[in-house]
Amino acid sequence: MADDSSKVWSALSLFAGLGAAAVARKALRGGWKAATGKEPPSNPADPDVDLWEAVAWAAASGTLIALAKMAATRRAATYYLKSTGELPPPLRKDEPATA
């Protein structure tokens, strides 16, 4: 059963993270366009992209996408806990050894 719960958690956390990243990416693109008046750089490594624009895009997108994925994974863990009565396998704390 532990193997099945681990597979369920893997799928749940994967889909939550991917969904959150997609939503965050779409919001970021819209926010960038509203703030700067232009599209975000499609490839920040391109030498034709201004260095500060590339740095700002990388910092903003990396931070916000990571935060969205973390929040979605936490919500998925809460759902898993409510559904099964225990934390997902990777989030369980080791039981202290009794002497």
Side-chain angles (χ1 to χ4, degrees):
M1 179 76 177
D3 188 36
D4 288 342
S5 65
S6 183
K7 288 178 184 177
V8 168
W9 169 247
S10 294
L12 182 62
S13 64
L14 173 68
F15 289 121
L18 289 174
V23 170
R25 194 171 293 116
K26 186 170 179 85
L28 273 165
R29 293 185 71 78
W32 183 271
K33 190 168 184 178
T36 65
K38 55 186 181 178
E39 292 292 325
S42 58
N43 184 358
D46 185 346
D48 291 335
V49 174
D50 182 58
L51 176 63
W52 296 110
E53 182 180 15
V55 169
W57 175 251
S61 61
T63 300
L64 292 176
I65 289 172
L67 287 171
K69 288 172 70 175
M70 186 246 345
T73 303
R74 288 176 61 97
R75 293 211 31 141
T78 300
Y79 175 79
Y80 187 97
L81 176 62
K82 288 180 181 179
S83 298
T84 65
E86 59 186 15
L87 285 171
L91 300 180
R92 294 179 194 149
K93 294 187 172 108
D94 291 333
E95 304 264 337
T98 56

